[in-house]
Amino acid sequence: MTTKLFKNLKESLFNMVTSRLLLLFVVFTGMAVLLIYRLFNLQIVNGESYLNNFQLKIQKEKVIEGTRGNIYDRNGNLLAYNELAYSVTIEDVYESGSKKHEPLNRTLYKLIHMIEANGDTVISDFNIILDGNDEYAYTVEGKTLLRFLADVYGQTSIDTLKYFQETATAEEVIDYLCNRYKIGEYEVLQDGKKGDFIPRKGYTKKEALQLVTIRYEMNLYSYQKYIATTIATDVSPETVAVIMENMSDLDGVSIEEDTIRKYNYPYYFTHILGYTGKISQTELDELILQDDSYTMNDTVGKSGIEQVMELELQGEKGSETIYVDNLGKVIDTTNYVEPKAGNDLYLTIDKDLQVATYNILEQKLAGILISKIRNVMNYDQTSVSSAAKIIIPIDDVYFALINNNVIDTERFTHKNASDTEKEVYQIFTDKKTEVLATLEEELLNKKTPYNKLSKEYKTYESYIVSMLMNKGVLISSAIDREDKIYNAWTKEETISLNEYLTYAISKNWVDITKLEVDSQYSASSEVLESIIDYILVNLQDNQEFSKKMYKYLISSQKIKGRQMCLLLWEQDLISVEESRIVSLKNGSINPYNFMLEMIRDIQITPAQLALDPCTASCVVTDVNTGEVLALVSYPGYDLNKMANGVDAEYYAKINRDLSVPQWNAATQQLTAPGSTFKVVSSVAAVSEGAVSNLRETIRCTGVFDKLAPTIHRCWIYPSAHGNMNVSSAIANSCNCYFYEVGYRLSQDGSGYNSDYGLSRLEKYADMFGLTEKSGIEITESEPKFSDLYAVPSMIGQGTHNYTTVGLARYVTTIANNGTCYKLSLLEKLTDSKGNLIEDYKAEVRNKVTLDDSMWNAIHTGMRQVVETKAYYNDLAVNVAGKTGTAQQDKTRANHALFISYAPYENPEISVTVRIANGYDSGYAAQTARDVYKYYYGLAEEEDLLTGTAEVPELTGGTGD
């Protein structure tokens, strides 16, 4: 009984444990099934299970960029905005380590060619480009370059850069990165084994640069998982289609919807708006201090208002968690945080006035060129007695078309080159063969002293030395500038280039590692031969050297003016009726007249010619608020080719442009103010007691000789103005009056003291804002008050240097009787829905307190200046102003300036014009007249903005 009970108990206990274990097994099995379901999307239907997508979910945190705010003019005209576009991106899904390089480079190479085959471009937002000679060149300098080099070489700061890193050429950086990313090929040894790695082998220079740019960009995000690198933006539907078709062979590549920055009126607003681009390390370091959401993947303002107002325009990022399968396909999204649009900015600029003023400047520049071009060749400019008499010979015009890359000489070698292109190229190749043979003979045997060479060959040999310096063959830092032989070459010009190079070798001024010599102990003769070989090889396809040969071919008329005109037509640079081309070919039309016609019609622009004058600026202000209504710098460039990742070819083109379109002539160009400065001098004269009152006169005899042997003359010499007071001295721009005032201001009790006079004058320049920047929000050069020669400084010479916008603030202060503003481009800031965030006002810098009689004397003098200009006689609005002509270089035309305001009776606006190397201040005054005509509606727009050159009227009345 006991045994049976024990047995039943044992069985019961066993059954209970077994059932519990079975229950646990079922529970754990269910949990396992649920886990599998969660991970692999296992679905259970009608009691049966099957795998729907046996793919592991990969979680990614995706940042969603906020839309950048728009920019408008004062009237609500849209200037900068965003547009939806497709971008090509790549994510680094490649096996880590050295094995990734080959497949990744192969993918990128395919991708680049797919993109370019459809006319799209890959990113080129790198600090190295290919220049006009197909050489690698930096696009940055100074500390920005050092920061870039530190990033390339993995240094934490510029202070830790090693010498070879700090002095690395652009080509050396490319080769270093090609080595790092294995862009190139291994040398194959005779036994079939791998030898040394040869960077760039198998790639063109352009392809190597493109690959380096993308790989470098990818490397910046290597520490962040799942961050894609943009390879191309705003690509065409054709590019999207071909990439989608080949996606299986393009690991990590995606097509993404994106926004790109677009600009209306890009040439007209170049220097105001600026553009956006990929953030640099330096920019990130600065911005992250103000907003820690910035990353290396951001697009930011790179210049202009886009840069200045970056924090206000930049949207607020959103985010979401996404889940993708092992093929990268999104299968789920969660945790969505909506991004916020950036704020909208309104400028004080009037778009219509800005555009009209730009076109007026271009028409005036073209007109001045027309008036100065003459049908002469080989003009000797050194024989000209004054800058006002400088002319432009027609061969300079023809050469400018090649010198400023208007005519594409690379097309001459294409298989479909035109007859004229083939003719010109044959003439050029014959010339090059002759020149290189002559140079070789000179360097090896003839050894003609530099001063005995023809002007042409002096040009060639000077270029050769410059080239050797730039390429580091001649070590600039090693050369002793006091050395007798060095000076025999550079100053006395009594030795040959052969003798100079031979001596440089003996003094170790030559870096033989740049040459093909056996060792550093090679004989001097061997090193010299290697230098000569180096010279001849590097001149063979050197674009700059080729231009020098073209110059002599044109001036000697071996290349005819007719051929130059035909090249313009054959390369689709001009549009004319074919009958006129037939007439040009058969001689019925003179090429000189044909070229003038192209300039008159502005089919060939002043900027393209890059001859004096080719740049100008104009600033229009509201004199009662300090708002800038127009700020124009000619020429501009296409902002849309600089935004969203710089177009490398376009960037290289504008970098080579001799009219310097990247330079803001309104805010960065500094010149002497000329006679426009005489208002400051007038105030100083009266306020400091150099003249006792406004009626006191000083007699002008045409000559000021109190600082003999230095003699200063009035512009009217050999005539004279006679007795002048403050108003008449301003009206007649009498130099002798202001020379005398400067002399009196410089009396320190013991005699004439120039520094003392300048210190007294500076106080009044400061009152009118001329010792500081104007307050404008964008980049501006620092003004320079004269620190030498008190007497000539009174008439705006000495060492004065001011910007156009600085002079605009000065005349604004005059116009409103003493309120000196910090000029502003900003009107208001709103959110994306139009709600006002900030209403900007120009800040008052200081007030100039003068007696009403002093202000009246100034205004009267400035009104009388304009009254003497016949070309202002029919203007319905009375204008007051002051002309100024400033000499900077005796071999070039003087700068032309005009400061003004209107209406004279109750000033509303000021107009300040500077035409660099514009010959005569009257040309600047006529430009301002047309701006007033446009602003006040005093002429029909089609009569004013003709799109053709306006030849200036002959100036009359007062001079400078």
Side-chain angles (χ1 to χ4, degrees):
M1 181 74 178
T2 304
T3 304
K4 186 176 181 181
L5 183 61
F6 180 76
K7 183 179 179 182
N8 290 337
L9 184 61
K10 184 178 178 182
E11 287 177 356
S12 177
L13 187 61
F14 174 80
N15 290 334
M16 183 179 70
V17 170
T18 302
S19 63
R20 292 291 175 90
L21 287 173
L22 182 61
L23 178 62
L24 287 171
F25 174 76
V26 171
V27 170
F28 282 120
T29 300
M31 291 176 67
V33 169
L34 183 61
L35 181 60
I36 291 170
Y37 171 75
R38 292 289 188 190
L39 289 176
F40 300 114
N41 292 335
L42 184 67
Q43 297 187 358
I44 301 175
V45 180
N46 296 327
E48 295 183 5
S49 65
Y50 63 95
L51 289 175
N52 184 42
N53 272 319
F54 195 73
Q55 295 172 339
L56 184 67
K57 284 185 179 181
I58 301 171
Q59 178 178 317
K60 298 183 182 182
E61 297 301 323
K62 182 180 178 181
V63 173
I64 306 170
E65 299 295 334
T67 305
R68 193 173 183 85
N70 294 335
I71 303 176
Y72 301 88
D73 84 334
R74 66 186 300 112
N75 300 312
N77 292 301
L78 184 62
L79 305 178
Y81 62 100
N82 310 291
E83 194 173 82
L84 285 174
Y86 289 110
S87 293
V88 182
T89 67
I90 187 167
E91 189 178 306
D92 192 352
V93 297
Y94 294 79
E95 180 182 355
S96 58
S98 60
K99 291 182 179 179
K100 76 185 290 183
H101 296 303
E102 185 179 347
L104 177 53
N105 291 339
R106 187 167 56 247
T107 297
L108 292 175
Y109 183 83
K110 284 182 191 174
L111 196 57
I112 288 167
H113 285 275
M114 285 179 186
I115 291 167
E116 292 189 332
N118 290 296
D120 294 318
T121 57
V122 298
I123 62 165
S124 52
D125 215 351
F126 197 50
N127 291 325
I128 295 174
I129 59 170
L130 280 169
D131 65 15
N133 287 321
D134 200 36
E135 301 282 352
Y136 293 118
Y138 292 121
T139 61
V140 291
E141 57 187 16
K143 284 191 175 179
T144 306
L145 173 57
L146 292 177
R147 177 68 258 181
F148 169 65
L149 292 172
D151 293 340
V152 166
Y153 289 107
Q155 300 294 343
T156 55
S157 76
I158 61 175
D159 298 325
T160 59
L161 279 167
K162 296 174 183 176
Y163 178 76
F164 81 89
Q165 297 169 338
E166 187 176 339
T167 59
T169 65
E171 185 170 8
E172 287 168 342
V173 168
I174 291 294
D175 285 347
Y176 169 78
L177 291 173
C178 281
N179 263 311
R180 182 198 289 180
Y181 304 134
K182 292 297 174 274
I183 300 168
E185 296 177 6
Y186 282 95
E187 182 183 12
V188 180
L189 303 179
Q190 288 184 348
D191 60 4
K193 294 183 178 179
K194 280 185 180 179
D196 293 334
F197 183 78
I198 305 173
R200 293 191 275 132
K201 185 180 180 184
Y203 298 96
T204 65
K205 282 189 169 184
K206 179 183 176 183
E207 289 167 346
L209 177 59
Q210 290 172 321
L211 288 168
V212 162
T213 300
I214 298 169
R215 290 296 307 273
Y216 184 78
E217 191 81 8
M218 292 180 72
N219 190 63
L220 295 176
Y221 313 130
S222 59
Y223 63 93
Q224 295 175 288
K225 295 194 73 175
Y226 313 124
I227 297 294
T229 298
T230 300
I231 293 177
T233 59
D234 194 21
V235 296
S236 64
E238 291 78 14
T239 294
V240 172
V242 74
I243 290 174
M244 294 299 289
E245 287 170 12
N246 292 274
M247 197 69 84
S248 59
D249 296 326
L250 300 171
D251 292 345
V253 174
S254 298
I255 299 292
E256 301 283 351
E257 279 194 352
D258 200 359
T259 60
I260 57 171
R261 197 65 160 170
K262 287 284 189 177
Y263 300 97
N264 292 323
Y265 324 104
Y267 286 89
Y268 304 102
F269 283 87
T270 296
H271 306 95
I272 295 175
L273 295 179
Y275 57 90
T276 61
K278 191 67 70 178
I279 195 169
S280 70
Q281 184 62 55
T282 302
E283 289 164 337
L284 177 61
D285 292 344
E286 294 173 358
L287 287 169
I288 207 165
L289 296 175
Q290 302 169 78
D291 182 346
D292 61 9
S293 70
Y294 278 98
T295 71
M296 279 302 294
N297 205 32
D298 285 332
T299 295
V300 297
K302 304 293 281 187
S303 66
I305 288 295
E306 290 278 30
Q307 182 181 47
V308 172
M309 301 299 287
E310 165 62 27
L311 293 169
E312 288 76 14
L313 292 167
Q314 185 71 258
E316 188 176 316
K317 294 172 183 172
S319 64
E320 64 180 341
T321 303
I322 64 173
Y323 298 91
V324 299
D325 59 23
N326 62 335
L327 297 177
K329 182 180 178 182
V330 176
I331 55 179
D332 196 9
T333 62
T334 60
N335 303 327
Y336 179 76
V337 177
E338 187 172 3
K340 294 182 181 178
N343 298 317
D344 292 338
L345 181 66
Y346 290 76
L347 303 181
T348 60
I349 297 294
D350 181 320
K351 180 267 292 182
D352 293 335
L353 179 63
Q354 178 82 8
V355 171
T357 302
Y358 184 97
N359 290 328
I360 288 169
L361 285 179
E362 185 170 62
Q363 291 175 184
K364 295 295 183 184
L365 288 170
I368 297 170
L369 288 171
I370 290 287
S371 72
K372 298 299 178 181
I373 295 171
R374 300 288 183 272
N375 195 14
V376 297
M377 296 273 195
N378 295 303
Y379 173 65
D380 182 10
Q381 208 160 270
T382 60
S383 63
V384 179
S385 59
S386 73
K389 295 180 179 179
I390 291 173
I391 65 165
I392 304 170
I394 190 61
D395 58 327
D396 280 6
V397 177
Y398 295 144
F399 174 60
L401 299 172
I402 286 178
N403 196 37
N404 202 30
N405 308 299
V406 179
I407 289 173
D408 183 1
T409 57
E410 290 185 7
R411 280 186 46 169
F412 297 177
T413 60
H414 291 185
K415 62 181 181 181
N416 58 346
S418 68
D419 289 342
T420 309
E421 288 172 329
K422 290 174 183 176
E423 288 172 14
V424 171
Y425 186 64
Q426 186 60 55
I427 295 167
F428 170 74
T429 53
D430 290 345
K431 176 71 171 178
K432 182 165 70 171
T433 301
E434 172 199 321
V435 168
L436 293 181
T438 303
L439 286 171
E440 184 174 19
E441 177 65 14
E442 272 291 344
L443 289 166
L444 286 172
N445 302 313
K446 285 188 72 175
K447 307 174 187 176
T448 305
Y450 186 84
N451 60 4
K452 302 294 184 184
L453 292 169
S454 66
K455 183 179 179 181
E456 179 180 352
Y457 277 85
K458 282 182 178 178
T459 300
Y460 298 151
E461 290 199 0
S462 292
Y463 180 78
I464 287 169
V465 173
S466 173
M467 178 186 74
L468 294 175
M469 284 279 202
N470 292 336
K471 290 181 173 292
V473 177
L474 282 173
I475 308 168
S476 180
S477 59
I479 295 173
D480 178 4
R481 265 66 178 181
E482 303 300 319
D483 186 275
K484 183 178 179 181
I485 301 299
Y486 173 79
N487 285 304
W489 167 256
T490 58
K491 295 179 180 178
E492 298 161 16
E493 303 180 351
T494 54
I495 63 172
S496 68
L497 182 53
N498 173 292
E499 292 168 299
Y500 175 59
L501 293 175
T502 300
Y503 186 75
I505 294 166
S506 72
K507 301 297 288 185
N508 294 319
W509 296 350
V510 173
D511 182 355
I512 65 170
T513 64
K514 307 278 186 184
L515 308 171
E516 293 185 5
V517 292
D518 292 337
S519 73
Q520 67 184 85
Y521 303 108
S522 299
S524 294
S525 59
E526 184 185 344
V527 176
L528 179 61
E529 286 177 11
S530 183
I531 292 178
I532 294 170
D533 288 343
Y534 182 94
I535 289 168
L536 296 174
V537 167
N538 279 274
L539 291 182
Q540 188 67 38
D541 296 311
N542 186 300
Q543 191 179 60
E544 291 306 309
F545 187 71
S546 294
K547 287 178 180 179
K548 297 183 186 307
M549 289 186 280
Y550 274 113
K551 180 177 177 62
Y552 286 100
L553 286 169
I554 291 169
S555 64
S556 65
Q557 299 188 61
K558 289 180 180 176
I559 294 177
K560 308 290 186 185
R562 174 187 60 80
Q563 292 170 310
M564 297 302 297
C565 293
L566 288 173
L567 287 172
L568 291 174
W569 183 71
E570 290 170 359
Q571 295 195 0
D572 295 322
L573 296 166
I574 56 175
S575 176
V576 294
E577 293 178 5
E578 196 159 347
S579 61
R580 293 188 59 74
I581 297 302
V582 172
S583 297
L584 182 64
K585 288 179 178 179
N586 65 29
S588 302
I589 295 179
N590 182 294
Y592 167 76
N593 293 327
F594 183 89
M595 184 58 68
L596 286 185
E597 181 185 334
M598 294 303 99
I599 298 169
R600 185 176 288 108
D601 292 345
I602 314 186
Q603 293 208 50
I604 298 299
T605 69
Q608 286 177 305
L609 291 175
L611 298 169
D612 291 339
C614 64
T615 65
S617 56
C618 179
V619 179
V620 183
T621 70
D622 181 325
V623 301
N624 298 306
T625 65
E627 294 179 344
V628 178
L629 306 179
L631 187 142
V632 180
S633 175
Y634 178 91
Y637 57 86
D638 190 348
L639 285 175
N640 289 315
K641 290 187 177 179
M642 297 292 286
N644 314 299
V646 174
D647 179 327
E649 289 185 15
Y650 185 73
Y651 183 77
K653 178 184 175 183
I654 62 174
N655 248 12
R656 295 194 304 268
D657 194 327
L658 300 176
S659 67
V660 200
Q662 289 175 286
W663 192 248
N664 188 338
T667 68
Q668 292 177 286
Q669 186 180 51
L670 293 162
T671 72
S675 293
T676 63
F677 189 80
K678 288 174 178 174
V679 174
V680 171
S681 301
S682 299
V683 174
V686 175
S687 301
E688 293 292 315
V691 292
S692 58
N693 56 62
L694 295 170
R695 297 182 302 279
E696 181 184 340
T697 62
I698 294 173
R699 184 166 183 77
C700 168
T701 63
V703 175
F704 179 80
D705 59 5
K706 291 185 178 180
L707 294 177
T710 301
I711 304 296
H712 297 283
R713 291 186 173 87
C714 192
W715 67 267
I716 204 172
Y717 179 85
S719 297
H721 286 114
N723 290 330
M724 294 277 106
N725 62 23
V726 169
S727 291
S728 61
I730 293 172
N732 292 281
S733 201
C734 178
N735 289 347
C736 283
Y737 178 93
F738 291 102
Y739 288 148
E740 176 62 26
V741 165
Y743 182 76
R744 294 179 186 181
L745 279 177
S746 301
Q747 300 300 313
D748 65 357
S750 60
Y752 176 77
N753 183 334
S754 178
D755 290 344
Y756 178 65
L758 288 169
S759 67
R760 298 175 78 185
L761 179 63
E762 184 175 15
K763 177 168 61 175
Y764 298 92
D766 179 71
M767 287 165 56
F768 287 92
L770 288 172
T771 60
E772 294 178 356
K773 295 179 182 180
S774 70
I776 207 85
E777 287 84 3
I778 59 179
T779 300
E780 182 182 354
S781 298
E782 197 75 46
K784 183 182 186 298
F785 177 81
S786 182
D787 56 6
L788 292 172
Y789 318 122
V791 166
S793 293
M794 297 294 289
I795 68 164
Q797 298 295 337
T799 58
H800 289 299
N801 262 319
Y802 302 114
T803 61
T804 308
V805 74
L807 294 175
R809 172 163 76 170
Y810 160 49
V811 74
T812 296
T813 307
I814 295 169
N816 64 36
N817 281 12
T819 301
C820 183
Y821 289 102
K822 291 184 177 180
L823 299 183
S824 179
L825 290 165
L826 307 181
E827 184 177 76
K828 65 180 179 180
L829 188 72
T830 71
D831 64 21
S832 59
K833 296 179 180 178
N835 299 309
L836 183 66
I837 295 173
E838 187 166 358
D839 191 5
Y840 299 105
K841 301 291 182 186
E843 182 183 338
V844 175
R845 175 187 182 266
N846 65 279
K847 295 265 191 175
V848 181
T849 304
L850 300 174
D851 289 344
D852 288 345
S853 59
M854 183 74 235
W855 285 119
N856 291 337
I858 293 169
H859 295 311
T860 298
M862 293 181 71
R863 175 60 187 150
Q864 289 174 354
V865 168
V866 177
E867 286 177 328
T868 65
K869 312 294 184 188
Y871 42 80
Y872 269 90
N873 287 348
D874 62 349
L875 200 66
V877 174
N878 290 331
V879 176
K882 183 72 195 80
T883 51
T885 302
Q887 185 182 75
Q888 184 171 326
D889 183 341
K890 291 182 179 180
T891 66
R892 299 178 70 180
N894 294 332
H895 302 305
L897 301 100
F898 185 64
I899 61 173
S900 63
Y901 57 87
Y904 163 69
E905 300 80 6
N906 186 23
E908 296 172 347
I909 66 168
S910 78
V911 177
T912 301
V913 176
R914 173 167 50 204
I915 304 175
N917 306 111
Y919 286 87
D920 190 297
S921 59
Y923 300 158
Q926 290 174 51
T927 303
R929 175 204 60 193
D930 286 359
V931 174
Y932 284 116
K933 282 184 178 180
Y934 179 84
Y935 184 84
Y936 285 108
L938 303 177
E940 294 296 327
E941 194 167 319
E942 58 268 26
D943 295 332
L944 195 58
L945 305 176
T946 62
T948 60
E950 184 181 332
V951 178
E953 300 173 41
L954 294 175
T955 59
T958 60
D960 292 296

